[in-house]
Amino acid sequence: MEQLKLGKAIQILKRKKYREIIFDFNQTEFTNGIGTLGVCNQNELNALNASEPKLKMNRGIQLWHATISKMPTINQLTLVVKKQSTSWFLITAFPGLPALPLPQKNMNSIDLELSKQYWADKVFLEKQKEVNN
């Protein structure tokens, strides 16, 4: 929580019972970013010099994955919190912008379809394994 003071909250999104707070961190102070980008849109793969995406099992479902020689850094962080009776409860925090949940069988049909459409265009980035000669 102390580190969040170094960033600036630039947007708060309400999603059902959660709040997604997007923080931006100064690129001059954080020249190496605050973390690496793990998911991108398929149309961004060429600019990142990533491999062709392949479907792979991830968290029990088929999702797109591509390898990349150097993981891109990012200066945004998403903090997800949920209101409890007297305070906010931290659900998760990750480098990058908000994302829809992965498709799950227990979702209502509208949320499930939105999630499937969203993740059909997303690609998980994986660092290319180095080959030792």
Side-chain angles (χ1 to χ4, degrees):
M1 292 308 289
E2 280 297 310
Q3 294 292 335
L4 289 176
K5 293 178 185 174
L6 302 175
K8 178 182 178 185
I10 58 171
Q11 189 174 15
I12 299 175
L13 304 169
K14 295 179 182 181
R15 185 168 295 163
K16 298 199 178 203
K17 54 190 171 190
Y18 301 101
R19 297 292 178 270
E20 298 171 332
I21 308 165
I22 303 169
F23 286 85
D24 191 46
F25 291 82
N26 186 311
Q27 288 182 310
T28 306
E29 291 179 58
F30 295 89
T31 55
N32 296 322
I34 56 101
T36 56
L37 185 65
V39 176
C40 72
N41 293 325
Q42 286 196 24
N43 65 3
E44 298 170 309
L45 291 174
N46 283 342
L48 295 172
N49 293 319
S51 68
E52 283 295 314
K54 294 181 178 150
L55 283 171
K56 234 170 105 171
M57 286 302 283
N58 184 333
R59 299 173 182 114
I61 57 175
Q62 293 275 331
L63 297 169
W64 292 107
H65 290 72
T67 56
I68 191 165
S69 60
K70 184 177 188 300
M71 297 296 285
T73 59
I74 192 160
N75 281 72
Q76 286 81 35
L77 173 120
T78 296
L79 184 75
V80 181
V81 293
K82 180 180 177 185
K83 181 74 169 162
Q84 300 294 320
S85 56
T86 59
S87 62
W88 290 93
F89 182 75
L90 175 65
I91 301 298
T92 188
F94 53 88
L97 299 173
L100 288 181
L102 294 173
Q104 298 173 356
K105 293 175 191 170
N106 63 350
M107 290 177 154
N108 69 52
S109 59
I110 294 170
D111 288 344
L112 180 60
E113 192 53 39
L114 286 172
S115 181
K116 284 180 179 179
Q117 289 174 12
Y118 177 85
W119 286 101
D121 183 51
K122 301 298 181 216
V123 179
F124 281 85
L125 299 174
E126 301 174 318
K127 187 162 178 8
Q128 209 168 20
K129 290 182 174 48
E130 294 183 21
V131 179
N132 294 330
N133 292 331

